[in-house]
Amino acid sequence: MWPLKPFFKVSSGIHKKRPTKERRESQISKLNAMARGQQKLQSQQKNLKKAADKKKGQAADQKTAAMAALVHTCPVCRTQMPDPKTFKQHFESKHPKSPMPPELVDVQA
């Protein structure tokens, strides 16, 4: 009857119980969860950085597009306007005593 396997493992004189299958599996799953958690954090940081770079580049594009749209410049105050109608309204309201530029004479406000 003594040749049966022992339920404990002897190492350095101290008796320790073997971990159960469920215990080993839970320890492995915890290790996997920690590793996956680290990947998740790294991925989130990477995505935030990408989004910030994209947003930063997008703002510059909008600014250059807005500057390109300002075609007409007032000769008196050097204010830029996008279209001749706005330019004429500006000139009539801000500079009523100045003579009208020739490009605005035939524009209907």
Side-chain angles (χ1 to χ4, degrees):
M1 202 156 173
W2 268 106
L4 295 174
K5 293 182 180 178
F7 290 106
F8 54 89
K9 185 177 182 180
V10 178
S11 66
S12 68
I14 299 173
H15 298 295
K16 292 183 179 178
K17 286 187 176 181
R18 278 189 181 159
T20 62
K21 183 177 180 181
E22 294 83 21
R23 173 95 175 155
R24 282 193 305 266
E25 287 174 356
S26 72
Q27 289 173 345
I28 290 171
S29 69
K30 283 181 184 177
L31 288 174
N32 288 340
M34 287 192 299
R36 183 66 191 127
Q38 182 66 21
Q39 284 177 329
K40 183 178 177 183
L41 289 174
Q42 289 173 345
S43 178
Q44 286 174 346
Q45 290 172 350
K46 184 178 165 185
N47 289 338
L48 284 173
K49 185 177 177 185
K50 251 189 207 180
D53 289 344
K54 186 176 180 182
K55 190 174 183 181
K56 185 178 178 183
Q58 195 174 35
D61 292 339
Q62 289 175 348
K63 191 180 282 186
T64 55
M67 290 301 292
L70 299 175
V71 180
H72 303 282
T73 304
C74 177
V76 179
C77 63
R78 301 289 182 211
T79 304
Q80 295 180 326
M81 275 131 314
D83 55 46
K85 183 178 178 182
T86 309
F87 184 16
K88 186 167 184 175
Q89 289 174 349
H90 161 80
F91 205 86
E92 289 172 345
S93 66
K94 301 292 181 184
H95 315 293
K97 295 180 181 175
S98 300
M100 184 78 67
E103 66 260 16
L104 295 180
V105 174
D106 59 340
V107 174
Q108 293 182 5

